[in-house]
Amino acid sequence: MEEQGYFFRDTWAEIDLGCISENISSVKNRLPNDVEIIAVVKANAYGHGDIQVSKAALEAGATYLAVAFMDEAMALRNKGIQAPILVLGATRAKDVQIAVEHNISITVFQMDWVQEAKNYLKDTDKLVVHIKLDTGMGRIGIRSKEELKTMEQMLRMDKRFYLEGIYTHFATADELDRSYFEQQFHLFKDMLSVLLERPKYVHSSNSAAALRFSQAYFNAVRIGIAMYGLTPSLEMEQEIPFTLKEAFTLRSKLIHVKKLQQGDKVSYGSTYEANGEEWIGTIPIGYADGWIRRLQGMEVLVDGKRVPIVGRICMDQCMIRLPYALPIGTTVTLIGIDRNEFISVNDIAKRLETINYEVPCIIASRVPRLYKKDGKIVDLKNYLL
Ligand code: PMH
């Protein structure tokens, strides 16, 4: 237990920081030297751990970080990250002072917002902003050239703003059919043409676009899912130009093992009944950990073998059918490798009829994250700043 750090339960996620570094390096090797990597570490780095992933990504060559909300940017600043951070989502105008104080770049896309933000900026303030263009994602962003012109003028006329970047986001870069991507890409270029001056950063690509469309690099790419070693979509799996290394592993341990007789029942609702003599193990993970009830019947790995989760998944525990009696303390792998067997994040996503992005994100914060580098668990103390 020593190596597992400071927690008292037999369920944990292992995040391989070596994989994160390799994935960033693989992307970087494909990019021209003047294209920077913005590592997308929102949502606690897609559930992998914001500070550890940020450090690994920056060490591997990313130069900028991106998060969804100011709170996430603040969390990184409070943990000692000094690299530039861009908030991709909306920030309240009245919170701009916090962005200035902590040198956090924010996304702007409404005139009224800029007008309102002025009330909260002191003469000496410098607020770093990136303009967001909506070229077809239909989420946030400016949709017309006229608005963009006005927005640029408003920002450039007021010294308290520093227009550092302009960007857009693709809705279908991971789909084999490129037509909508092309449409967005051309609209983005067309909108850029009305600018008086190009800001320092022009960026449009997420992982899928960065791996497929060099024409859309501009001078920075925003890499999320690929950094975690996951494919942006199953349909573009064949188009990944290098091996992605999956960083997320989820493990537990047998905390109880028993022999059931024919007809004995398991878990709430008594939905599972032993078919004869069966060895049943209990593991301390349940739906409150994000291991949701829909995963009943999914396989896990124990002693290098695939075995099913049987009976309903409880809040904190679930049961698995063992191939034979196994000692308490035996490791159970829910996501990851055990000898010759592998359960990928994609396997869980398929079972849940969702996308791989969602899987590590829904593994609850009460599941401790351990960090591995070169096959060894990294001392947690080095990472808890
Ligand atoms: N840029 C923006 C604006 C994003 O919202 C995201 C991911 C990325 C870059 C990174 O994309 P990637 O992980 O595919 O590389 N955003 C989301 C989202 O809002 N829902 O799923 C992924």
Side-chain angles (χ1 to χ4, degrees), residues 40 42 46 88 132 139 167 169 205-208 222-226 232 355 357:
V40 181
K42 57 184 181 164
Y46 294 28
L88 298 167
K132 177 78 183 278
R139 195 162 60 176
Y167 72 106
H169 189 53
S205 294
N206 54 5
S207 297
R222 301 186 305 273
I223 304 296
I225 201 73
I355 53 170
Y357 292 69

Side-chain angles (χ1 to χ4, degrees), residues 165-178:
I166 185 160
Y167 72 106
T168 194
H169 189 53
F170 296 122
T172 62
D174 59 330
E175 291 179 12
L176 291 183
D177 180 345
R178 300 173 178 212

Side-chain angles (χ1 to χ4, degrees), residues 60-77:
T63 51
Y64 220 117
L65 302 171
V67 296
F69 310 117
M70 181 88 98
D71 310 69
E72 295 178 337
M74 289 294 294
L76 287 172
R77 285 280 179 263

Side-chain angles (χ1 to χ4, degrees), residues 7-136:
F7 56 90
F8 304 94
R9 64 182 299 199
D10 281 335
T11 294
W12 68 99
E14 281 167 22
I15 315 302
D16 194 326
L17 297 173
C19 294
I20 304 272
S21 308
E22 265 191 63
N23 296 327
I24 287 287
S25 301
S26 301
V27 174
K28 193 175 159 61
N29 288 339
R30 286 176 51 80
L31 298 174
N33 282 337
D34 59 345
V35 178
E36 296 187 31
I37 296 179
I38 302 172
V40 181
V41 294
K42 57 184 181 164
N44 195 29
Y46 294 28
H48 292 63
D50 59 359
I51 178 71
Q52 298 83 355
V53 168
S54 294
K55 283 184 165 186
L58 292 167
E59 277 167 27
T63 51
Y64 220 117
L65 302 171
V67 296
F69 310 117
M70 181 88 98
D71 310 69
E72 295 178 337
M74 289 294 294
L76 287 172
R77 285 280 179 263
N78 290 336
K79 290 173 197 165
I81 291 288
Q82 287 174 356
I85 306 175
L86 172 64
V87 173
L88 298 167
T91 299
R92 295 188 287 238
K94 67 183 173 70
D95 293 335
V96 290
Q97 198 48 235
I98 304 182
V100 171
E101 274 167 34
H102 295 89
N103 195 21
I104 293 164
S105 318
I106 60 174
T107 295
V108 298
F109 50 93
Q110 292 156 350
M111 315 302 170
D112 291 351
W113 184 98
V114 175
Q115 215 48 53
E116 194 192 341
K118 289 181 180 181
N119 301 328
Y120 297 93
L121 290 171
K122 298 193 294 286
D123 282 352
T124 51
D125 284 345
K126 221 24 153 195
L127 180 69
V128 182
V129 297
H130 289 217
I131 296 176
K132 177 78 183 278
L133 302 183
D134 179 6
T135 55

Side-chain angles (χ1 to χ4, degrees), residues 66-341:
V67 296
F69 310 117
M70 181 88 98
D71 310 69
E72 295 178 337
M74 289 294 294
L76 287 172
R77 285 280 179 263
N78 290 336
K79 290 173 197 165
I81 291 288
Q82 287 174 356
I85 306 175
L86 172 64
V87 173
L88 298 167
T91 299
R92 295 188 287 238
K94 67 183 173 70
D95 293 335
V96 290
Q97 198 48 235
I98 304 182
V100 171
E101 274 167 34
H102 295 89
N103 195 21
I104 293 164
S105 318
I106 60 174
T107 295
V108 298
F109 50 93
Q110 292 156 350
M111 315 302 170
D112 291 351
W113 184 98
V114 175
Q115 215 48 53
E116 194 192 341
K118 289 181 180 181
N119 301 328
Y120 297 93
L121 290 171
K122 298 193 294 286
D123 282 352
T124 51
D125 284 345
K126 221 24 153 195
L127 180 69
V128 182
V129 297
H130 289 217
I131 296 176
K132 177 78 183 278
L133 302 183
D134 179 6
T135 55
M137 176 69 185
R139 195 162 60 176
I140 55 173
I142 291 174
R143 293 171 67 91
S144 79
K145 286 191 208 171
E146 288 64 38
E147 264 188 81
L148 173 56
K149 273 189 197 165
T150 318
M151 174 66 96
E152 187 194 19
Q153 275 164 9
M154 278 175 90
L155 294 171
R156 290 202 193 276
M157 266 165 37
D158 191 323
K159 286 200 164 53
R160 294 171 298 175
F161 294 101
Y162 169 47
L163 175 55
E164 187 195 50
I166 185 160
Y167 72 106
T168 194
H169 189 53
F170 296 122
T172 62
D174 59 330
E175 291 179 12
L176 291 183
D177 180 345
R178 300 173 178 212
S179 49
Y180 198 74
F181 159 79
E182 293 288 352
Q183 203 176 307
Q184 280 197 269
F185 173 62
H186 290 296
L187 182 54
F188 185 51
K189 282 204 300 189
D190 189 34
M191 289 181 84
L192 291 178
S193 71
V194 307
L195 291 174
L196 297 169
E197 202 186 314
R198 281 209 178 185
K200 178 177 177 195
Y201 290 107
V202 178
H203 48 111
S204 66
S205 294
N206 54 5
S207 297
L211 296 175
R212 299 173 76 201
F213 307 126
S214 59
Q215 69 272 33
Y217 287 158
F218 298 96
N219 59 10
V221 292
R222 301 186 305 273
I223 304 296
I225 201 73
M227 166 169 60
Y228 306 104
L230 301 170
T231 46
S233 71
L234 293 179
E235 64 183 279
M236 69 161 278
E237 217 162 20
Q238 303 306 318
E239 290 193 35
I240 306 277
F242 48 81
T243 311
L244 289 170
K245 300 271 178 73
E246 226 173 284
F248 194 92
T249 291
L250 181 63
R251 300 198 203 274
S252 189
K253 284 185 175 183
L254 292 175
I255 47 142
H256 188 56
V257 174
K258 59 184 167 287
K259 193 183 193 180
L260 293 193
Q261 304 298 331
Q262 160 104 38
D264 285 350
K265 309 279 205 294
V266 172
S267 197
Y268 285 115
S270 304
T271 57
Y272 182 80
E273 192 177 309
N275 242 332
E277 276 193 358
E278 283 181 9
W279 287 97
I280 298 290
T282 303
I283 53 176
I285 182 169
Y287 65 75
D289 298 303
W291 204 250
I292 61 176
R293 284 166 47 122
R294 280 255 301 280
L295 287 164
Q296 177 173 343
M298 183 69 200
E299 289 175 328
V300 301
L301 307 177
V302 62
D303 206 26
K305 297 186 173 57
R306 290 178 174 269
V307 303
I309 295 171
V310 295
R312 288 192 185 145
I313 293 174
C314 311
M315 189 183 291
D316 326 289
Q317 305 177 71
C318 64
M319 277 58 81
I320 60 178
R321 190 173 62 224
L322 302 175
Y324 30 74
L326 279 163
I328 284 166
T330 302
T331 296
V332 176
T333 301
L334 298 101
I335 300 174
I337 299 173
D338 182 5
R339 277 159 263 188
N340 298 324
E341 294 288 350

